[in-house]
């Protein structure tokens, strides 16, 4: 593989400490996200070493990690890449180890790690804290270990139990990241109530509970929550962009002028939709909720606007009724949400976060995706390059939404 060369004229390919410091000053974000974004920028100029991310190399990392954490008598078996996901490297494997009371036990595990640079720079520590927090509240994978400072792996990584189930019916066409996934009427009847129950459990959980120390709790009655999220996207754009985009600038100005006040602090999944849960086809039960990497504490309308995005759903058999994540009609979704949570849905804040979500997707697709493909920093170059195309349809949607507001 030929590793692309960096452009010496583009400071974003090899950012200086002054550039990084200025970015941090301009766009203050939560402390844990600042730590991860700063780490990303300081590592960016380092040339990619594809050999360090090969399956054999990662198995070697696993062996050294488990030797230091699990003791003697452990054996890794059947290591293999896991398909799916555009932003993380995932390796499935079995682990045979001595069992309490004698004999051996076999664990079916997954190692989940950042690539050299991700389209979504997120915190494994926060992901672990959410998974631990929801262990007794939702079906989520059990975390076994965390390498938060990348001491054993090339990047921060977690090791957790591999959950059983599928993301889509096996007789259905596979779709990238679950976009536009379809379910039969019978399957919808079984999955939709579980889908709504999980969202309600997340949004009614106590964000002040012990165990979420890596999360910032925004102040109620202020615009702090929305501003921190806006700064996060603006910082990523500032650090990744490679062209001028007046529509993006106009949207950012509108978002800043219309920051909503936080009325209720909510734990957010960040990517709650079809494609991010597994279910058992026989029992029609959801077996695991995955991909908590974008989780944070903030305004529930951010999740609601994201989950109801048109590209994550489809039309029912009548060709008219929009199904949220292919599961539940939109009006019924809002009604069930308010009934299950006791929290109102504010149309104005919903519209704000629809605009914000377009703004974020454009940043991911047109900036971060381009930058990491340009630098050869991803394990899925073809898929990430494809993601760039999503940015233009989202730009058209952003333009439409802004015109409605103006």
């Amino acid at each position: 593989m030929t590793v692309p060369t960096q452009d010496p004229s583009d400071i974003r390919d090899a950012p200086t400490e002054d550039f990084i410091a200025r970015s941090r000053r301009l766009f203050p974000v939560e402390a844990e996200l600042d730590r991860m974004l700063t780490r990303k920028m300081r590592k960016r100029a380092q040339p990619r070493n594809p050999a360090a991310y090969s399956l054999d190399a990662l198995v070697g990392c696993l062996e050294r990690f488990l030797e230091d954490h699990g003791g003697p008598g452990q054996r890794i078996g059947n290591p293999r890449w896991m398909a799916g996901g555009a932003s993380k490297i995932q390796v499935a494997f079995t682990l045979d180890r001595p069992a309490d009371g004698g004999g051996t036990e076999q664990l079916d595990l997954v190692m989940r790690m950042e690539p050299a640079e991700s389209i979504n720079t997120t915190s494994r520590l926060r992901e672990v804290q959410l998974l631990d927090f929801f262990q007794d509240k939702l079906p989520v994978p059990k975390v076994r270990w965390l390498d938060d400072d990348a001491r054993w792996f090339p990047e921060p990584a977690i090791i957790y139990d591999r959950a059983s189930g599928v993301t889509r019916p096996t007789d259905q066409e596979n779709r990238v990241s679950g976009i536009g996934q379809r379910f039969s009427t019978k399957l919808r009847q079984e999955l939709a109530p579980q889908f709504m129950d999980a969202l309600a459990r997340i949004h009614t959980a106590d964000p002040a509970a012990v165990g979420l120390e890596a999360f910032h709790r925004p102040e109620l009655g202020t615009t702090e929550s929305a501003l921190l999220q806006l700064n996060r996207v603006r910082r990523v754009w500032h650090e990744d962009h490679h062209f001028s985009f007046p529509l993006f600038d106009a949207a950012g100005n509108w978002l800043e002028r219309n920051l909503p006040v936080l009325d209720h602090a909510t734990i957010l999944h960040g990517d709650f939709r079809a494609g991010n849960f597994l279910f058992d086809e026989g029992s029609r039960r959801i077996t695991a909720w995955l991909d908590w990497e974008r989780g944070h504490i903030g305004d529930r309308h951010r999740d609601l606007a994201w989950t109801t995005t048109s590209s994550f759903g489809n039309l029912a058999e009548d060709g008219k009724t929009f199904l949220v994540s292919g599961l539940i009609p939109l009006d019924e979704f809002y009604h069930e949400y308010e009934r299950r949570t006791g929290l109102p849905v504010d149309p104005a804040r919903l519209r704000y976060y629809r605009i914000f979500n377009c703004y974020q997707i454009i940043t991911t697709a047109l900036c971060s995706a381009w930058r990491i493909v340009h630098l050869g920093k991803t394990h899925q170059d073809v898929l990430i390059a494809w993601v760039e195309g999503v940015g233009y349809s989202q730009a058209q949607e952003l333009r439409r939404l802004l015109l409605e507001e103006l």
Side-chain angles (χ1 to χ4, degrees), residues 314-384:
N314 52 55
L315 296 179
E317 290 79 3
D318 62 8
K320 300 177 182 178
T321 304
F322 176 72
L323 300 174
V324 176
S325 271
L327 291 172
I328 182 171
L330 184 62
D331 289 345
E332 185 180 343
F333 171 87
Y334 291 132
H335 173 76
E336 277 297 299
Y337 178 83
E338 291 186 330
R339 184 182 72 82
R340 290 171 182 263
T341 65
L343 297 169
V345 176
D346 178 3
R349 276 185 285 176
L350 201 59
R351 291 195 301 273
Y352 178 90
Y353 280 102
R354 289 202 189 286
I355 292 172
F356 172 82
N357 287 339
C358 283
Y359 188 75
Q360 174 178 293
I361 293 171
I362 290 168
T363 301
T364 299
L366 298 185
C367 292
S368 299
W370 180 89
R371 182 69 58 179
I372 64 176
V373 170
H374 160 68
L375 294 175
K377 295 275 190 173
T378 176
H379 61 303
Q380 297 203 60
D381 301 71
V382 174
L383 175 59
I384 302 304

Side-chain angles (χ1 to χ4, degrees), residues 1-2 8 46 53 55 67 105 124 142 151 164 166 182 194-195 202 228 305 315 321 354 359 370 391 405:
M1 174 180 177
T2 302
Q46 299 175 11
Y53 296 84
L55 186 59
E67 182 179 338
E105 65 174 347
R124 301 287 70 70
K142 178 181 179 180
R151 179 178 171 188
S164 62
V166 296
R182 294 186 176 276
Q194 300 173 64
F195 184 83
I202 295 169
L228 285 172
L315 296 179
T321 304
R354 289 202 189 286
Y359 188 75
W370 180 89
E405 292 300 316

Side-chain angles (χ1 to χ4, degrees), residues 103-167:
T104 61
E105 65 174 347
Q106 185 176 85
L107 303 178
D108 197 8
L109 302 174
V110 173
M111 187 281 294
R112 177 173 165 85
M113 183 187 77
E114 295 272 326
E117 192 167 320
S118 172
I119 56 172
N120 297 308
T121 301
T122 52
S123 165
R124 301 287 70 70
L125 174 61
R126 282 172 48 143
E127 192 169 10
V128 165
Q129 289 186 359
L130 283 174
L131 289 170
D132 286 345
F133 178 78
F134 282 105
Q135 269 306 305
D136 60 350
K137 302 175 181 66
L138 288 171
V140 294
K142 178 181 179 180
V143 177
R144 300 286 178 165
W145 295 286
L146 165 68
D147 181 14
D148 182 45
D149 56 2
R151 179 178 171 188
W152 287 268
F153 293 92
E155 300 290 337
I158 60 177
I159 299 173
Y160 56 36
D161 288 358
R162 184 169 183 262
S164 62
V166 296
T167 58

Side-chain angles (χ1 to χ4, degrees), residues 55-81 91-98 104-111 145 152-153 159:
L55 186 59
D56 287 343
L58 293 177
V59 169
C61 293
L62 278 168
E63 290 173 341
R64 290 186 290 275
F65 181 91
L66 292 168
E67 182 179 338
D68 289 345
H69 290 78
Q74 300 185 104
R75 184 170 59 85
I76 294 172
N78 192 26
R80 60 210 183 273
W81 298 117
V91 175
F93 64 99
T94 58
L95 179 66
D96 292 304
R97 67 178 187 177
T104 61
E105 65 174 347
Q106 185 176 85
L107 303 178
D108 197 8
L109 302 174
V110 173
M111 187 281 294
W145 295 286
W152 287 268
F153 293 92
I159 299 173

Side-chain angles (χ1 to χ4, degrees), residues 2-26:
T2 302
V3 178
T5 57
Q6 296 171 337
D7 180 357
S9 66
D10 188 347
I11 194 172
R12 291 170 177 81
D13 280 356
T16 63
E17 282 296 323
D18 285 346
F19 178 89
I20 295 170
R22 182 170 184 270
S23 183
R24 298 176 73 187
R25 287 195 304 271
L26 285 172

Side-chain angles (χ1 to χ4, degrees), residues 72-265:
Q74 300 185 104
R75 184 170 59 85
I76 294 172
N78 192 26
R80 60 210 183 273
W81 298 117
M82 290 191 70
S87 64
K88 298 295 174 282
I89 292 174
Q90 300 189 113
V91 175
F93 64 99
T94 58
L95 179 66
D96 292 304
R97 67 178 187 177
D100 294 337
T104 61
E105 65 174 347
Q106 185 176 85
L107 303 178
D108 197 8
L109 302 174
V110 173
M111 187 281 294
R112 177 173 165 85
M113 183 187 77
E114 295 272 326
E117 192 167 320
S118 172
I119 56 172
N120 297 308
T121 301
T122 52
S123 165
R124 301 287 70 70
L125 174 61
R126 282 172 48 143
E127 192 169 10
V128 165
Q129 289 186 359
L130 283 174
L131 289 170
D132 286 345
F133 178 78
F134 282 105
Q135 269 306 305
D136 60 350
K137 302 175 181 66
L138 288 171
V140 294
K142 178 181 179 180
V143 177
R144 300 286 178 165
W145 295 286
L146 165 68
D147 181 14
D148 182 45
D149 56 2
R151 179 178 171 188
W152 287 268
F153 293 92
E155 300 290 337
I158 60 177
I159 299 173
Y160 56 36
D161 288 358
R162 184 169 183 262
S164 62
V166 296
T167 58
R168 61 179 177 84
T170 52
D171 62 351
Q172 293 287 318
E173 172 191 5
N174 192 17
R175 294 175 179 269
V176 175
S177 297
I179 293 175
Q181 187 60 62
R182 294 186 176 276
F183 300 93
S184 67
T185 302
K186 189 172 185 179
L187 197 51
R188 292 201 300 264
Q189 291 172 348
E190 298 283 348
L191 293 180
Q194 300 173 64
F195 184 83
M196 295 306 304
D197 179 67
L199 183 58
R201 286 174 182 266
I202 295 169
H203 282 195
T204 56
D206 182 7
V210 173
L212 300 176
E213 287 75 18
F215 291 83
H216 177 73
R217 295 169 181 80
E219 186 176 351
L220 295 180
T222 74
T223 59
E224 180 191 19
S225 174
L227 181 58
L228 285 172
Q229 291 303 307
L230 179 59
N231 280 347
R232 172 180 58 81
V233 179
R234 279 178 159 175
R235 176 166 169 179
V236 173
W237 176 276
H238 176 72
E239 295 174 348
D240 290 359
H241 82 272
H242 61 102
F243 67 104
S244 297
F245 195 11
L247 174 63
F248 187 86
D249 296 335
N253 291 336
W254 184 90
L255 288 165
E256 187 172 6
R257 291 196 307 272
N258 292 275
L259 293 168
V261 171
L262 183 66
D263 69 329
H264 181 85

